[in-house]
Amino acid sequence: MKRLVERLGFWIQKIMEEFGEVLSFTASFGRWLFVPPFRWRQTMEQMEFIGIGSLPVIALTGLFTGMVFALQAHHSFRIFHAEALIGSTVGLALSREIGPVFTALMVTARAGSAMAAEIGSMKVTEQIDALESMAVSPIHYLVVPRVVAGLVMVPILYGFFLFIGVAGAYFVAVGLLGLPEAPFLSKLYYYVDMDDVIGGLMKSVFFGFLLTIISCHRGYRTSGGAQGVGLSTTRAVVISSVTVLVADYFLTSWILEFLPNF
Amino acid sequence: MTRYQESQRNIKIGVFTLIGICILVYSTIRVSDRNLSSKGTYTVSVVLTSATGLTRKTPVQIAGVQVGYIESLDLVDNRRARVGLRINKEVQLTEDVTAQVRTKGFLGETYIDLMPGRDENLIKPNGEITSVNPYTDLSELTSKLSAVTDDIKVVTESMKRNFVEGGNWDQIMSNFAQLSQKLNTSLSSVSNITQKIDEGKGTIGRLVNDEETIENINQAAKGLSETIGGVNRFQAEIGYHLEYLGNSQSVKNYVSLGLKPRPDKAFLLDFVVDPNPPDQRRLTTTDVTSGGVTTTVTTDQSVTIRNKFLISAQLAKTFRDVTIRGGIIESTGGVGVDYKRGPYGLSFSAFDFRSDYGERPHLKAFGQVNLTKNFYLLSGMDDFIAKNHERDWFVGAGFQVIDEDLKSLFGAARLK
Amino acid sequence: MIQLVNICKSFGEQAVLKGLNLEIPKGKVTVVLGQSGSGKSVLLKHMIGLLRPDSGEVVVDGTSLSTLSDHEIVPFRCRFGMLFQGAALFDSLNVFENVAFPLKEQRQLSSEEVRKIVEAKLAAVGLSGIEEKMPSELSGGMRKRVGLARAIALEPKIILYDEPTTGLDPIMTSSITQLISETQKRLKVTSVIISHDIESSFNIADKIALLHEGRILMEGSPEEVRQSKIPYVHNFINGISTGSEV
């Protein structure tokens, strides 16, 4: 029992330490964000990597999420003869929850891990020190472009996810299951609101920020060779994913408060 | 990276971002309420005694065509509901328009139906609809139905009491008389309702008399039972059989109910009417005082109750072809084992282990042949090690249905 | 001139520098010797302000580093060039971009001027014509030389070398040592070399300091060090193991 309490205390201490570190890391990101020059080239590079690079995986997950969702919804809604609501159910779920969360998780797995690994290996091979020795802030040169790219690209990827997911649901419902097209679309347009999409966008902006800053921070704190880089990568993905899911709850309750129709 | 490659990349990012933004703008505009009407909307309100089942976005229809939706729901004077309706501008409502909350479909999807009047004057934006038709819906009928259900519950409860306590037949009969009177009134209200339904009054009436709806209900129910079946494979069996007892020349009736939460486990419940149960012995001691001398007289009474109600409640567990069961058998403790292979079955039960007067346990063994899935014949020995007259042989017949069969039995109603 | 006064530095529970005092003379080559893990790199990083001491002071040309904020320290670093142990070339940039990096960051120069300087620096380290290669395509010695070209790109007043010859073959070692001493003569800079390579150190050093257990055990000219009677110094420069070092 005593050991259990000790372990618990240890974990809480770890979590608080990580939290505090990320906060101060965020603060230094904030300080460097508006320091000129803005590094367009690095930012564009990261936008290409996060945005265009993640599009195939986002398209694929979006498509199949929408398709399986339609299939499952049809299976359950058939009981109540409410097949017409498949479109709106998929639309609501994708726009409000699944879209932002899945997009963030996929980007974390693909780009967040790569960021942690890249910055981590730069750290252990002293490239970060080299940057500093040449009077270039690593935060300014490495972190700001990545976080800005995440802030811009994750919401756009969310848009693709949503569109492709609903298209997948449409394909399954109308194309494969032979449900009429008109109720699918009309209920979709009717029950999904502008606020749903805007709420989803707000979430994905936030998630984009969280996952990039956490992944960069983990990379930045890497120590101890190739093993350390591996560990950082794993922890970046785990911490980012968990944070996204936890933040999702609080964001949802917060958005519910401020968007009347969400 | 050359300048050319760099500009190529920037073009790629630009196109990507632009497409993404277009998708987002398209999505938000497509789903925004603006596309409900190109000419804009206006609001009117209506005060209802109950807004049960109404939510934001509930459709507002005229003659089945959607013309708007519910925008807000508020409480007025702490007792009634004020419902704000957003109506398309091209739809003009007269001042004597009547609003009614209606339900459609099996799930009771609600909507507000507006019936335009003949008045020349139009309701102004932010005006109020004053004429409201009462809320006729399922819930009214449902509450009547639930009263009936309560009566039935009372009936079954007292039936249970009688069966379990094994009260005598007269008492049961008199109870039944009372109960059936109750049932009569219940049934008359049921018949009232069904009459209404036949006439197509109320939502249920419309539902039942609408072929399409019936088809929908059937489909829905089918899916539901499939789902439930898929999840836990719960099975119920109802059966009846009789045994003609050769020696006593009487008939013993069994009504049985088996509940199988899983294929290898069952709860078996039998109601038995035994025409010739073993005698009940009773010792009475009476003090007889005669001429100052008190003598204690012990009387040994043997009581035979004809047509005694007995109950069996057993838990059973099946291992391949063998089922072991135990619990209450014919109102006493007992155990049994069944063997079943193909259409043939053998059963053995041992119960009533009382031996106050040197009685032997009640043993019963019989064989069974299933003629069809539902009908079977059986024959065997009852109480075959008893000392006295109760030793008997019997032949019998019975039927058994499982819930799947019930569905087909009930045909059109389809209690699936 | 760099003065290190009473520097203490710990990482967690482990005290690496315990009240270290050292003076680096201007325009000379100072070699800091020490066993692996004795804190030489940590010492070097204190000089450029990559690490800050727990207590004590680093004074560079009369300016105390501890009085500078994170932002103020940035222009100060332009006086330094640093060659890292593994060269620390940026993986994502090719050789030209690596050498041009400090120029683009710190100087307002036309791309033509940048090109000229980069070509000159690469020629100075004997590596002309490899501008388009990526660091991963280079050998260890080539990387160090590119790293040196990058370190001298801004023509710094002070150059810090972190184990410049570690992991190189003998020929490459002497070629790098020669390069360092050429650079020294040509640019008239203050050089600090961290090393455990005794032979090449004695060849180029004006001053040698021996770091042991978080302090400077001995400092002086190569000749003084060679003559030292302190047992550890004697053992260290002659490579004699007493079995108690580990």
Side-chain angles (χ1 to χ4, degrees):
Chain A
M1 187 63 203
K2 190 168 165 240
R3 284 195 49 160
L4 195 77
V5 172
E6 272 171 11
R7 278 196 79 80
L8 196 71
F10 175 75
W11 279 111
I12 289 171
Q13 193 189 332
K14 271 276 196 200
I15 289 169
M16 292 328 281
E17 197 182 319
E18 179 79 26
F19 186 63
E21 277 184 12
V22 172
L23 273 188
S24 69
F25 193 71
T26 308
S28 59
F29 161 78
R31 268 207 306 279
W32 283 105
L33 176 60
F34 299 108
V35 174
F38 184 73
R39 296 185 183 272
W40 275 106
R41 192 181 142 180
Q42 277 73 28
T43 310
M44 283 307 212
E45 228 169 71
Q46 289 305 319
M47 281 187 169
E48 185 188 22
F49 178 65
I50 297 176
I52 298 172
S54 304
L55 186 59
V57 69
I58 290 292
L60 227 67
T61 30
L63 182 69
F64 281 95
T65 308
M67 281 168 66
V68 76
F69 216 114
L71 209 59
Q72 289 283 22
H74 175 257
H75 185 77
S76 319
F77 286 8
R78 207 167 42 137
I79 299 166
F80 309 109
H81 198 57
E83 288 98 329
L85 292 173
I86 291 175
S88 54
T89 307
V90 175
L92 281 172
L94 287 186
S95 62
R96 293 167 68 104
E97 277 304 323
I98 294 173
V101 171
F102 268 39
T103 306
L105 291 182
M106 295 324 287
V107 173
T108 301
R110 205 191 142 272
S113 59
M115 281 178 205
E118 195 183 350
I119 296 179
S121 72
M122 287 184 80
K123 175 84 178 179
V124 299
T125 58
E126 295 187 301
Q127 291 178 52
I128 303 262
D129 284 335
L131 274 176
E132 282 196 84
S133 78
M134 286 179 270
V136 175
S137 160
I139 307 275
H140 194 241
Y141 185 76
L142 296 172
V143 178
V144 171
R146 282 169 172 76
V147 176
V148 169
L151 278 171
V152 176
M153 282 297 149
V154 174
I156 286 174
L157 286 170
Y158 157 74
F160 278 100
F161 188 99
L162 180 60
F163 187 78
I164 294 168
V166 172
Y170 175 88
F171 170 68
V172 168
V174 179
L176 296 183
L177 300 172
L179 300 174
E181 178 188 7
F184 181 95
L185 289 179
S186 66
K187 297 279 181 191
L188 171 69
Y189 297 145
Y190 186 62
Y191 282 105
V192 181
D193 254 344
M194 194 145 97
D195 280 6
D196 295 318
V197 180
I198 288 173
L201 268 177
M202 285 163 71
K203 280 187 181 183
S204 39
V205 171
F206 218 83
F207 292 161
F209 175 76
L210 284 176
L211 78 92
T212 47
I213 199 109
I214 290 171
S215 301
C216 286
H217 170 257
R218 261 295 116 217
Y220 203 71
R221 288 275 177 276
T222 302
S223 60
Q227 202 184 4
V229 176
L231 191 69
S232 279
T233 312
T234 313
R235 289 190 63 192
V237 172
V238 171
I239 297 173
S240 304
S241 310
V242 171
T243 309
V244 162
L245 292 172
V246 172
D248 183 46
Y249 174 80
F250 292 102
L251 268 178
T252 304
S253 60
W254 182 74
I255 292 172
L256 283 173
E257 198 76 19
F258 286 93
L259 278 183
N261 296 341
F262 187 71
Chain B
M1 188 175 275
T2 64
R3 180 130 287 181
Y4 173 73
Q5 282 171 316
E6 208 163 314
S7 79
Q8 284 290 305
R9 183 190 61 203
N10 291 356
I11 288 169
K12 221 158 69 175
I13 297 167
V15 170
F16 171 81
T17 311
L18 211 66
I19 293 174
I21 290 173
C22 285
I23 286 175
L24 284 168
V25 169
Y26 172 79
S27 311
T28 41
I29 289 179
R30 199 71 189 80
V31 300
S32 69
D33 299 326
R34 229 169 294 156
N35 66 36
L36 188 67
S37 162
S38 51
K39 290 185 182 170
T41 54
Y42 65 100
T43 55
V44 291
S45 66
V46 57
V47 174
L48 302 172
T49 45
S50 164
T52 312
L54 300 180
T55 58
R56 214 178 62 75
K57 288 220 134 185
T58 297
V60 177
Q61 301 188 344
I62 292 177
V65 178
Q66 186 175 351
V67 296
Y69 59 90
I70 293 184
E71 190 178 50
S72 61
L73 289 164
D74 303 291
L75 203 58
V76 283
D77 310 332
N78 288 327
R79 61 176 74 235
R80 287 181 304 165
R82 183 198 295 281
V83 181
L85 312 178
R86 184 158 284 279
I87 307 289
N88 290 0
K89 207 152 219 166
E90 63 259 42
V91 177
Q92 296 182 323
L93 300 176
T94 55
E95 273 199 335
D96 60 346
V97 66
T98 308
Q100 184 174 20
V101 179
R102 304 179 80 144
T103 48
K104 65 179 170 192
F106 180 57
L107 281 179
E109 197 184 323
T110 46
Y111 64 100
I112 289 193
D113 194 24
L114 297 181
M115 283 152 283
R118 299 177 186 285
D119 206 319
E120 297 282 303
N121 301 324
L122 298 176
I123 289 190
K124 292 181 182 63
N126 301 320
E128 193 180 321
I129 296 172
T130 44
S131 161
V132 177
N133 263 7
Y135 193 177
T136 58
D137 68 338
L138 281 168
S139 58
E140 194 187 339
L141 284 167
T142 324
S143 64
K144 279 186 187 168
L145 271 174
S146 80
V148 175
T149 328
D150 284 347
D151 285 349
I152 290 173
K153 230 184 263 172
V154 171
V155 172
T156 48
E157 239 161 61
S158 45
M159 272 173 93
K160 190 180 72 187
R161 220 174 19 249
N162 282 310
F163 285 144
V164 175
E165 291 163 4
N168 70 38
W169 185 234
D170 287 349
Q171 202 183 334
I172 291 168
M173 285 315 287
S174 77
N175 279 351
F176 253 132
Q178 278 178 12
L179 288 172
S180 53
Q181 206 166 351
K182 268 192 190 168
L183 262 178
N184 268 344
T185 49
S186 296
L187 285 173
S188 77
S189 43
V190 171
S191 81
N192 269 340
I193 292 169
T194 47
Q195 198 181 345
K196 272 189 192 168
I197 289 172
D198 282 344
E199 288 163 18
K201 281 183 187 164
T203 315
I204 287 185
R206 264 179 278 121
L207 278 174
V208 172
N209 290 303
D210 177 19
E211 290 293 333
E212 195 192 349
T213 316
I214 289 175
E215 187 50 35
N216 290 348
I217 292 173
N218 285 341
Q219 275 183 11
K222 185 170 168 230
L224 193 64
S225 85
E226 271 170 16
T227 310
I228 291 169
V231 171
N232 50 21
R233 298 180 196 287
F234 188 97
Q235 203 184 53
E237 292 171 352
I238 295 174
Y240 167 81
H241 77 267
L242 56 81
E243 293 170 5
Y244 177 74
L245 298 162
N247 286 349
S248 55
Q249 299 194 346
S250 55
V251 175
K252 195 168 173 181
N253 292 290
Y254 292 81
V255 174
S256 51
L257 173 70
L259 301 173
K260 287 187 170 177
R262 283 171 46 190
D264 63 334
K265 281 181 181 164
F267 174 68
L268 307 169
L269 189 66
D270 294 295
F271 301 115
V272 188
V273 184
D274 193 349
N276 193 23
D279 293 347
Q280 277 193 331
R281 299 263 209 118
R282 196 180 296 154
L283 280 184
T284 14
T285 38
T286 329
D287 290 339
V288 181
T289 312
S290 159
V293 180
T294 303
T295 325
T296 304
V297 181
T298 308
T299 341
D300 186 356
Q301 278 184 301
S302 176
V303 186
T304 305
I305 300 166
R306 298 285 159 196
N307 288 331
K308 188 177 181 183
F309 263 101
L310 300 167
I311 190 163
S312 299
Q314 303 172 82
L315 294 175
K317 168 99 175 133
T318 304
F319 306 93
R320 290 168 173 271
D321 300 332
V322 180
T323 304
I324 294 172
R325 55 193 158 77
I328 297 167
I329 299 179
E330 302 197 1
S331 301
T332 68
V335 292
V337 59
D338 302 325
Y339 175 80
K340 193 170 189 309
R341 180 130 215 181
Y344 306 103
L346 289 172
S347 280
F348 173 76
S349 307
F351 52 98
D352 195 0
F353 296 98
R354 282 175 298 184
S355 55
D356 304 6
Y357 304 96
E359 302 106 316
R360 293 177 175 165
H362 189 148
L363 301 186
K364 180 177 175 181
F366 64 89
Q368 180 180 333
V369 183
N370 290 351
L371 299 178
T372 70
K373 206 174 83 182
N374 300 109
F375 290 92
Y376 58 92
L377 298 176
L378 70 163
S379 175
M381 306 277 285
D382 197 6
D383 214 358
F384 51 86
I385 58 164
K387 291 174 182 168
N388 39 29
H389 78 282
E390 278 120 14
R391 203 179 299 189
D392 216 333
W393 58 271
F394 64 88
V395 291
F399 71 88
Q400 172 183 300
V401 288
I402 59 175
D403 47 3
E404 300 264 325
D405 304 318
L406 279 178
K407 289 167 200 164
S408 42
L409 270 179
F410 279 81
R414 292 260 179 100
L415 265 179
K416 282 175 185 175
Chain C
M1 191 164 80
I2 307 169
Q3 288 166 295
L4 296 139
V5 185
N6 224 357
I7 302 289
C8 293
K9 180 70 178 179
S10 311
F11 294 101
E13 309 241 305
Q14 193 194 0
V16 178
L17 302 180
K18 307 163 186 168
L20 178 142
N21 291 290
L22 181 63
E23 214 165 275
I24 311 283
K26 198 166 189 164
K28 296 272 163 55
V29 177
T30 305
V31 176
V32 179
L33 289 171
Q35 275 183 272
S36 303
S38 59
K40 300 183 305 258
S41 293
V42 173
L43 175 62
L44 204 63
K45 285 179 182 171
H46 274 89
M47 295 183 195
I48 195 172
L50 289 178
L51 291 173
R52 296 200 164 214
D54 295 339
S55 68
E57 250 189 304
V58 180
V59 184
V60 179
D61 294 339
T63 316
S64 172
L65 289 194
S66 54
T67 60
L68 300 176
S69 72
D70 281 347
H71 278 72
E72 288 167 328
I73 211 164
V74 170
F76 174 83
R77 288 207 178 112
C78 295
R79 300 184 193 186
F80 288 88
M82 184 161 175
L83 175 60
F84 287 86
Q85 202 168 331
L89 299 180
F90 301 125
D91 302 325
S92 54
L93 305 179
N94 63 26
V95 169
F96 178 87
E97 289 166 324
N98 261 291
V99 180
F101 187 86
L103 297 167
K104 284 182 178 161
E105 288 296 327
Q106 305 301 345
R107 300 272 190 276
Q108 309 290 328
L109 297 172
S110 71
S111 51
E112 198 46 45
E113 288 169 304
V114 169
R115 176 167 298 282
K116 272 184 186 158
I117 296 173
V118 171
E119 278 169 2
K121 298 299 170 192
L122 282 173
V125 297
L127 284 176
S128 296
I130 59 156
E131 282 88 344
E132 296 304 321
K133 291 208 164 151
M134 297 304 282
S136 54
E137 301 169 69
L138 304 179
S139 70
M142 287 165 99
R143 282 162 177 248
K144 289 240 166 144
R145 287 197 271 172
V146 174
L148 182 58
R150 187 176 68 180
I152 60 176
L154 287 177
E155 314 214 321
K157 296 278 166 284
I158 305 161
I159 303 179
L160 308 177
Y161 300 89
D162 190 354
E163 310 214 356
T165 57
T166 303
L168 298 180
D169 60 70
I171 295 169
M172 193 55 77
T173 302
S174 70
S175 122
I176 292 275
T177 313
Q178 208 181 340
L179 199 55
I180 292 171
S181 81
E182 272 172 24
T183 310
Q184 168 70 18
K185 283 177 193 135
R186 201 155 39 88
L187 299 174
K188 306 271 180 292
V189 296
T190 308
S191 294
V192 182
I193 302 172
I194 294 290
S195 181
H196 47 213
D197 181 348
I198 313 288
E199 199 189 327
S200 46
S201 304
F202 278 88
N203 286 342
I204 58 172
D206 298 312
K207 176 181 179 174
I208 287 182
L210 186 65
L211 180 64
H212 182 58
E213 290 182 342
R215 289 188 186 84
I216 297 298
L217 190 63
M218 154 109 215
E219 57 182 310
S221 68
E223 207 45 43
E224 285 168 358
V225 174
R226 218 188 281 278
Q227 303 299 327
S228 171
K229 293 280 177 281
I230 302 172
Y232 181 81
V233 179
H234 181 77
N235 290 347
F236 187 87
I237 60 176
N238 293 302
I240 300 165
S241 169
T242 58
S244 61
E245 293 88 359
V246 185

